[in-house]
């Protein structure tokens, strides 16, 4: 037995790759199963998988000395689902690591956004692709799938990425799109916008052993607020109104934010946006489904479920994840740190959202400290949580973020609405009554 044996799934994927590069006549003459068996023979002799594939391709008459250069470039807007050997010439707008669960194991993949003169498209890569934000690249051997009616672009282990000069793409590719904050979504690419700096904070980071300053904060306009990160010092100051050209949109757990790097232009504006004109957007809950991540929005609704995992929990001292019976999913057996929380579902009749109240919010709502809760037996505590929150109307301010299971609302502020003075939330109540 060789050391290069693969799982069946991997083996099949490699077989499919080989098959996809054969001409039509040969494709008809051999099945994926047969290719996989041939490949397995090589692997059993200890031949590395890459070399085994090359050898098989040669055997099937494929010239492997050059990458599939005959393939023509496709524009992002023209991409069809379920294609192999996709070739693109694009700029990398953003690239982000993303933690997912694969067969119960955490794994880091990479997602991001590409653009060319036809538009933008997100991609998913199983390993870190050899490209950075801002790079112009030719991508060969990518493949597409379809998910929820949309084309998904994927980079598997066959992907070839080559750096290109900026002039391979027409100028209009790089023109920013004029937007207001409520129009910004993770697919918008680069933007032109006028906004007020509501807050700014300098942070020191180390890049390649060099100390650098970066700036994070919040921007606002008459349609809402959005976080930003500046990778160079644009001499921004709190309360100034600025015109941004060429900032790009990146998302963190589904929540868009503006990034300003050396390609962005920032100009101070004379005409100021008034802080009182910048709203906290008030949303119905169904709107959170369309926009998985939203910064600083206000929602309200009735608590329809207190979920399991509420009450006293133990967290991993390494990664802060809540421990399961057998310890941390990543760090195994550890001494957990106690915490208090409520996980619940809030519904306003148009939609619902999961929310997690932290220790401070939970203590305030149930009127007991965590130490007092630790003295109670779990059933007593559970009834207290229910009495305090179940079927109550709450109003919250905060951010909605996307996680493994959908979107979660993280409230900066949560209040139980006294239903005797509920005129303020009439619209919510009406919606709920319609359902009853
Ligand atoms: Zn852990």
């Amino acid at each position: 037995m060789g050391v290069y044996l693969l799982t069946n799934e991997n083996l099949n994927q490699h077989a499919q790759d080989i098959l996809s590069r054969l001409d039509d006549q040969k494709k008809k003459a051999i099945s994926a199963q047969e290719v996989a068996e041939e490949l397995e023979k090589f692997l059993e002799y200890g031949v590395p998988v890459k070399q085994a594939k090359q050898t098989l391709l040669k055997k099937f008459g494929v010239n492997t000395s050059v990458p599939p250069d005959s393939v023509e470039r496709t524009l992002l807007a023209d991409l069809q689902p379920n294609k192999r050997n996709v070739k693109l010439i694009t700029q990398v707008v953003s690239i982000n690591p993303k933690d997912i669960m694969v067969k119960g194991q955490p794994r880091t993949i990479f997602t991001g956004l590409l653009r060319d003169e036809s538009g933008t498209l997100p991609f998913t890569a199983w390993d870190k692709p050899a490209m950075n934000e801002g790079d112009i690249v030719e991508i060969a051997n990518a493949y597409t799938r379809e998910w929820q009616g949309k084309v998904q672009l994927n980079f598997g282990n066959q992907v070839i990425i080559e750096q290109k000069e900026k002039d391979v793409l027409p100028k209009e590719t790089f023109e920013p799109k004029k937007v207001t904050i409520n129009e910004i979504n993770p697919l918008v690419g680069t933007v032109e916008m006028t906004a007020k700096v509501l807050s700014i904070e300098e942070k020191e980071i180390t890049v390649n052993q060099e100390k650098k300053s970066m700036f994070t904060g919040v921007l606002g306009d008459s349609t809402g607020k959005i976080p930003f990160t500046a990778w160079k010092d644009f001499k921004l100051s709190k309360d100034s109104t600025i015109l941004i050209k060429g900032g790009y949109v990146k998302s963190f757990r589904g929540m868009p934010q503006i990034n300003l790097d050396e390609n962005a232009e920032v100009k101070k504006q004379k005409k100021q946006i008034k802080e009182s004109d910048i709203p906290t957007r008030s949303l119905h809950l169904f709107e959170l489904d369309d926009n998985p991540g939203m910064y600083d929005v206000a929602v309200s609704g009735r608590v329809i479920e207190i979920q399991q995992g509420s009450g006293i929990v133990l967290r991993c001292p390494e990664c802060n994840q809540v421990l399961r019976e057998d310890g941390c999913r990543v760090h195994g057996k550890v001494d957990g740190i106690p915490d208090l929380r409520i996980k619940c579902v809030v519904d306003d009749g148009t939609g619902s959202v999961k929310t997690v109240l932290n220790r401070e919010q939970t203590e305030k709502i149930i009127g007991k400290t965590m130490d007092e809760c630790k003295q109670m037996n779990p059933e007593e505590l559970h009834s207290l949580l229910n009495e305090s929150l179940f079927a109550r109307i709450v109003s919250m301010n905060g951010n909605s973020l996307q996680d493994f299971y959908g979107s979660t609302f993280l409230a900066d502020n949560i209040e139980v609405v006294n239903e005797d003075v509920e005129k303020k939330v009439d619209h919510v109540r009406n919606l709920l009554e319609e359902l009853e």
Side-chain angles (χ1 to χ4, degrees):
M1 296 285 272
V3 287
Y4 294 102
L5 287 184
L6 301 169
T7 62
N8 280 339
E9 196 187 335
N10 274 333
L11 195 62
N12 275 328
Q13 201 186 338
H14 287 301
Q16 291 291 352
D17 270 322
I18 292 171
L19 212 54
S20 72
R21 292 179 62 179
L22 305 186
D23 63 37
D24 287 341
Q25 215 184 340
K26 288 227 177 57
K27 255 184 222 169
K28 275 181 206 145
I30 191 161
S31 68
Q33 178 66 30
E34 286 168 309
V35 175
E37 277 167 15
E38 293 254 31
L39 191 58
E40 196 164 30
K41 270 185 222 155
F42 280 103
L43 300 180
E44 275 171 1
Y45 284 113
V47 178
V49 64
K50 204 170 167 187
Q51 200 184 324
K53 283 173 82 173
Q54 296 282 322
T55 310
L56 270 181
L57 283 166
K58 264 188 210 147
K59 186 181 159 190
F60 295 131
V62 177
N63 182 357
T64 58
S65 59
V66 286
D69 251 352
S70 54
V71 178
E72 272 189 42
R73 173 199 181 196
T74 312
L75 289 174
L76 292 173
D78 296 336
L79 268 183
Q80 300 295 317
N82 303 317
K83 295 280 176 205
R84 307 196 68 86
N85 291 338
V86 170
K87 181 154 135 185
L88 305 160
I89 298 177
T90 69
Q91 184 179 40
V92 184
V93 177
S94 62
I95 174 166
N96 313 293
K98 183 177 177 184
D99 296 322
I100 59 163
M101 298 299 287
V102 180
K103 293 178 187 154
Q105 294 295 314
R107 177 170 175 179
T108 302
I109 62 168
F110 293 81
T111 63
L113 190 70
L114 302 175
R115 70 166 168 191
D116 65 14
E117 62 270 40
S118 72
T120 63
L121 195 78
F123 69 87
T124 300
W126 294 99
D127 298 300
K128 170 119 183 47
M131 59 190 205
N132 292 303
E133 276 166 8
D135 287 356
I136 315 290
V137 288
E138 181 180 291
I139 297 162
N141 280 339
Y143 64 97
T144 60
R145 294 266 185 271
E146 186 171 356
W147 195 68
Q148 296 188 339
K150 286 184 188 141
V151 176
Q152 290 279 305
L153 176 64
N154 299 294
F155 304 169
N157 54 8
Q158 299 296 306
V159 73
I160 300 168
I161 294 170
E162 204 179 297
Q163 297 287 326
K164 293 278 170 189
E165 294 299 318
K166 199 167 179 175
D167 56 16
V168 299
L169 288 169
K171 255 203 204 123
E172 68 255 32
T173 312
F174 308 101
E175 264 159 33
K177 190 172 174 196
K178 279 189 192 166
V179 290
T180 51
I181 287 173
N182 62 341
E183 293 171 331
I184 292 173
N185 64 52
L187 300 184
V188 83
T190 57
V191 295
E192 176 177 334
M193 60 191 282
T194 304
K196 188 183 190 77
V197 179
L198 294 171
S199 66
I200 181 162
E201 193 183 324
E202 182 169 356
K203 283 180 191 165
E204 208 162 69
I205 51 163
T206 309
V207 180
N208 301 329
Q209 292 164 356
E210 228 179 281
K211 283 205 168 131
K212 274 185 74 177
S213 280
M214 63 173 275
F215 302 82
T216 61
V218 176
L219 299 170
D221 70 10
S222 62
T223 70
K225 298 174 195 165
I226 193 166
F228 76 92
T229 301
W231 299 97
K232 73 170 226 195
D233 190 357
F234 289 95
K235 310 281 178 217
L236 299 176
S237 53
K238 184 173 159 13
D239 293 333
S240 58
T241 297
I242 53 174
L243 169 69
I244 295 167
K245 272 188 192 170
Y248 67 94
V249 177
K250 191 167 171 164
S251 60
F252 169 73
R253 290 177 62 187
M255 185 165 75
Q257 60 169 54
I258 299 290
N259 271 259
L260 304 171
D261 62 11
E262 64 272 17
N263 297 315
E265 257 178 64
V266 175
K267 271 191 207 137
K268 281 207 172 136
Q269 299 298 100
K270 279 217 180 87
K271 195 173 168 232
Q272 298 291 305
I273 297 174
K274 273 193 271 172
E275 188 148 2
S276 56
D277 290 340
I278 299 172
T280 288
R281 269 184 287 173
S282 196
L283 299 178
H284 288 305
L285 289 173
F286 79 92
E287 292 173 277
L288 295 181
D289 293 335
D290 301 337
N291 303 286
M294 300 277 264
Y295 180 79
D296 191 48
V297 291
V299 297
S300 52
R302 203 180 286 272
V303 175
I304 57 165
E305 187 188 348
I306 307 269
Q307 293 186 301
Q308 272 203 350
S310 298
I312 300 282
V313 293
L314 293 173
R315 290 188 182 278
C316 172
E318 300 275 333
C319 65
N320 210 36
Q321 293 283 335
V322 170
L323 300 183
R324 306 183 304 187
E325 260 170 48
D326 55 346
C328 172
R329 208 156 54 182
V330 178
H331 300 100
K333 280 240 178 299
V334 287
D335 286 329
I337 300 168
D339 193 12
L340 174 67
R341 68 170 183 186
I342 301 176
K343 288 172 76 175
C344 60
V345 178
V346 175
D347 189 306
D348 72 353
T350 74
S352 61
V353 71
K354 284 182 311 167
T355 183
V356 183
L357 279 62
N358 64 22
R359 172 179 168 181
E360 206 187 338
Q361 292 165 339
T362 305
E363 286 178 335
K364 196 180 117 195
I365 282 193
I366 65 177
K368 287 214 186 303
T369 65
M370 180 166 82
D371 287 332
E372 287 171 318
C373 292
K374 280 199 242 167
Q375 307 303 318
M376 301 168 76
N377 71 47
E379 275 151 40
E380 241 183 319
L381 179 56
H382 194 75
S383 342
L384 176 62
L385 300 184
N386 265 305
E387 275 162 37
S388 313
L389 209 53
F390 181 68
R392 300 294 178 106
I393 291 177
V394 292
S395 71
M396 308 187 277
N397 272 6
N399 308 328
S400 134
L401 290 176
Q402 192 160 48
D403 61 18
F404 302 134
Y405 316 102
S407 60
T408 300
F409 198 84
L410 293 181
D412 295 329
N413 215 316
I414 177 164
E415 268 168 44
V416 174
V417 175
N418 182 345
E419 292 194 56
D420 293 325
V421 289
E422 71 192 68
K423 283 201 174 99
K424 281 183 206 158
V425 288
D426 254 356
H427 68 287
V428 174
R429 192 172 166 74
N430 288 340
L431 283 165
L432 287 164
E433 277 169 358
E434 275 166 33
L435 278 187
E436 279 160 13

